[in-house]
Amino acid sequence: MPSGEGGCRMFRRILVGYDGSEMAKKALLAALELARVFGGEVLALAVVRPPEFAELGVELQGVLEEVQGPLAEAFDFANREAERVGVPLRTRSQVGHPAETLARVAEDEGFDLIVLGRRGLTPVQRWMLGSVSERVLRYAPCAVLVVH
């Protein structure tokens, strides 16, 4: 890969789908390591999926309140790991469909790479729920790394 001033520019802006799960933590650690190697930065984005069959205003507020505590703990872990390896990290949460939101943010904000953890769905779960990583692979405007 061609290098610009100061080294390779391959993966300088990295977006990681992050919910604090064990697989998301693995994805975060991979993203931080790549950012360290390439002199980049990471955005850990938690996408909160809105309820589909409820009164959106009431249920959405409840869902958001319910995830604030676990997300704060997950972001604390992410910040500690980023500080440990010396990589600039931003954290953010927003509401939306996870795959669509990750692809849109990557495109709108010019990310070079999306890193995701694989959830390990069974074939039936994948058929019924769909795989976020498969959808991101289909719609992402940049490279995608799925961490197993």
Side-chain angles (χ1 to χ4, degrees):
M1 183 56 77
S3 62
E5 293 178 22
C8 184
R9 303 183 62 86
M10 191 170 191
F11 298 128
R12 297 199 82 173
R13 303 203 67 229
I14 300 172
L15 173 63
V16 59
Y18 185 69
D19 63 4
S21 67
E22 287 307 310
M23 293 311 299
K25 287 179 180 175
K26 286 183 177 182
L28 173 76
L29 296 176
L32 290 173
E33 181 60 20
L34 286 168
R36 187 188 64 76
V37 168
F38 290 107
E41 63 185 23
V42 174
L43 169 62
L45 178 61
V47 181
V48 179
R49 190 176 194 148
E52 294 182 21
F53 303 107
E55 291 182 50
L56 196 56
V58 174
E59 290 294 325
L60 182 57
Q61 185 61 36
V63 169
L64 291 174
E65 289 173 5
E66 191 173 302
V67 299
Q68 290 308 310
L71 277 181
E73 290 179 26
F75 287 151
D76 283 346
F77 172 83
N79 283 314
R80 284 192 309 272
E81 290 300 314
E83 187 175 318
R84 183 179 61 77
V85 297
V87 169
L89 172 78
R90 294 180 294 136
T91 60
R92 186 167 86 205
S93 61
Q94 65 186 76
V95 176
H97 183 280
E100 293 170 6
T101 301
L102 287 165
R104 185 172 19 84
V105 168
E107 183 167 6
D108 290 349
E109 299 182 26
F111 282 92
D112 306 312
L113 176 69
I114 301 172
V115 181
L116 303 167
R118 185 170 183 264
R119 287 191 298 173
L121 299 176
T122 66
V124 173
Q125 290 172 319
R126 198 172 320 133
W127 178 75
M128 292 183 70
L129 301 173
S131 165
V132 170
S133 51
E134 286 176 7
R135 289 184 183 155
V136 170
L137 281 167
R138 222 175 290 141
Y139 300 114
C142 59
V144 177
L145 172 65
V146 179
V147 177
H148 287 245

